[in-house]
């Protein structure tokens, strides 16, 4: 799922970021009772992930602080359902946008499974002797 460990950056990030390298993908739906899709897996590329969020490159018109339901499709065949909001959006210079998505710890979601997946990734990196800052 991830390629490299993150580190504390100059913008005061306090948790590791991992760049993605495999086929994990996501669909983003409008939060609420409907299933209106905001961005499909064909329109979004996951660029990095952390325990509390992810950054995506997408051409969908997501708005800052828009609430969403995210369906994360893992290469293993498992799916996770998460909720959150769009924290920021900036153009990437190629006609797409980069989005910072914050994930919320909500009852009835797979948030703890998401946290567990990232914790295992960090543990595996530590055991394999990779430097983690």
């Amino acid at each position: 799922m991830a390629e490299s460990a993150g580190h504390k950056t100059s913008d005061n990030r306090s948790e590791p970021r991992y760049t993605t390298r495999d086929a994990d993908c996501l669909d983003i739906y409008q939060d609420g009772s409907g299933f209106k899709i905001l961005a499909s897996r064909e329109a979004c590329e996951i660029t990095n992930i952390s325990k509390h969020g992810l950054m995506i490159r997408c051409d969908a018109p997501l708005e800052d602080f828009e609430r969403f339901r995210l369906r994360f499709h893992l290469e293993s065949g498992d799916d996770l359902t998460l909720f959150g909001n769009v924290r920021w959006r900036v153009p990437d210079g190629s006609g797409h946008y980069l989005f910072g998505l914050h994930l919320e710890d909500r009852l009835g979601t797979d948030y703890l499974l998401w946290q567990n997946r990232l914790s295992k990734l960090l543990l595996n990196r530590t055991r394999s002797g990779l430097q983690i800052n």
Side-chain angles (χ1 to χ4, degrees):
M1 173 186 214
E3 190 169 276
S4 62
H7 57 281
K8 188 161 184 162
T9 65
S10 60
D11 59 3
N12 294 322
R13 290 181 181 160
S14 61
E15 61 187 41
R17 300 293 194 267
Y18 302 94
T19 55
T20 60
R21 65 174 172 170
D22 60 24
D24 293 346
C25 58
L26 54 87
D27 292 312
I28 302 173
Y29 299 90
Q30 188 173 36
D31 191 9
S33 60
F35 286 96
K36 178 183 175 190
I37 193 157
L38 299 173
S40 69
R41 65 188 84 178
E42 292 82 16
C44 293
E45 173 190 0
I46 303 165
T47 60
N48 71 50
I49 57 176
S50 72
K51 287 179 100 174
H52 296 98
L54 56 152
M55 185 171 71
I56 64 169
R57 178 175 289 108
C58 190
D59 57 6
L62 304 174
E63 298 296 328
D64 290 355
F65 301 102
E66 184 168 11
R67 298 181 63 78
F68 62 82
R69 178 176 54 232
L70 183 145
R71 191 75 176 156
F72 205 94
H73 308 281
L74 307 176
E75 189 175 51
S76 65
D78 297 326
D79 289 347
L80 300 179
T81 298
L82 302 163
F83 287 82
N85 61 66
V86 177
R87 285 296 173 105
W88 54 264
R89 173 183 69 169
V90 296
D92 75 350
S94 72
H96 302 311
Y97 286 90
L98 294 173
F99 294 94
L101 307 180
H102 178 260
L103 302 175
E104 298 173 355
D105 184 2
R106 243 198 228 184
L107 190 62
T109 69
D110 296 319
Y111 185 78
L112 291 178
L113 291 173
W114 173 262
Q115 296 273 313
N116 187 42
R117 182 174 166 89
L118 274 288
S119 294
K120 285 181 181 177
L121 177 65
L122 182 61
L123 180 62
N124 288 340
R125 293 191 167 282
T126 301
R127 285 182 178 160
S128 66
L130 295 174
Q131 181 179 359
I132 298 175
N133 298 326

